[in-house]
Amino acid sequence: MATEAQSQTAPRPAVSLPSVLLVFLLLAAASYAALIWAPTEATMGLIQRIFYFHVSSAWSGFISFIMVFIGSVAYLRTRALKWDWLSVASAEVGVAFFTIVLITGPIWAKPVWGIWWTWDARLTSSFLLWVLFVSYLILRTLLDEPERRALVSAVFGIFATLDIPLVYFSIWWFRTQHPQPVIGDGGSLAPRMGYVLLLCWAATLGVMTVLIRIRYRLESMRSEVDG
């Protein structure tokens, strides 16, 4: 009887095994494509291969932070805690992706620019975005009451996402050392490089989805325990 009761109350997994396997295969294919199949860039050489996961991590981080904005607005409209769970889950995953961006960027910059970091508009605004969402996560630890925490976090989350357009458009609005876009606005990318970039983005999106679903499930279970 005890075993039967435990099986009835056991939480369902946040993601299915086939989904995890699919993401693993995407990551394996993306790694092979970025490190081996993609052509070597003529000017920068092998170090340019970091571009594929640097850019795709930035794009996935943007999407994660946009989901914080969506969850925050939805919470303010509905006061349903499920939207707060989505916001915190997305914020944590977005911070993880932008940590990768801030680590891989200097590794790429040192051989190409001769310096690890420069405080130009793109780099500074990206670092500020990371700091804002780290602050968002710290802020949540300072508030114990769930509704108050969700309300304050929603307002701060909306404020933090206002930096996203500044990060994205900074290379158009300001003179920066950061490379100009390789896609759109006159930029060009070799077809095989473009395919590899899209494959890497699909892989990081898969990782993003799995992590957000797991973190969302954890937050919902935490809310049930607190309740």
Side-chain angles (χ1 to χ4, degrees), residues 158-180:
I158 293 172
F159 167 75
T161 54
L162 297 179
D163 188 40
I164 293 177
L166 178 61
V167 176
Y168 185 78
F169 291 108
S170 58
I171 53 177
W172 285 283
W173 293 345
F174 308 99
R175 295 182 60 184
T176 71
Q177 189 163 337
H178 191 278
Q180 293 300 301

Side-chain angles (χ1 to χ4, degrees), residues 84-144:
D84 180 60
W85 305 341
L86 175 64
S87 295
V88 64
S90 302
E92 289 190 3
V93 175
V95 166
F97 275 117
F98 255 76
T99 301
I100 294 173
V101 172
L102 295 175
I103 292 174
T104 56
I107 294 174
W108 185 11
K110 177 61 175 175
V112 177
W113 297 347
I115 55 175
W116 293 99
W117 184 270
T118 180
W119 293 98
D120 76 349
R122 169 58 70 86
L123 275 67
T124 303
S125 57
S126 297
F127 179 69
L128 176 61
L129 185 65
W130 181 84
V131 169
L132 284 170
F133 277 97
V134 169
S135 301
Y136 171 92
L137 297 176
I138 294 174
L139 175 65
R140 294 183 63 88
T141 66
L142 305 177
L143 302 169
D144 294 327

Side-chain angles (χ1 to χ4, degrees), residues 197-213:
L197 177 59
L198 291 177
L199 177 59
C200 290
W201 191 27
T204 56
L205 284 176
V207 173
M208 181 199 76
T209 303
V210 167
L211 291 179
I212 288 177
R213 292 190 65 177

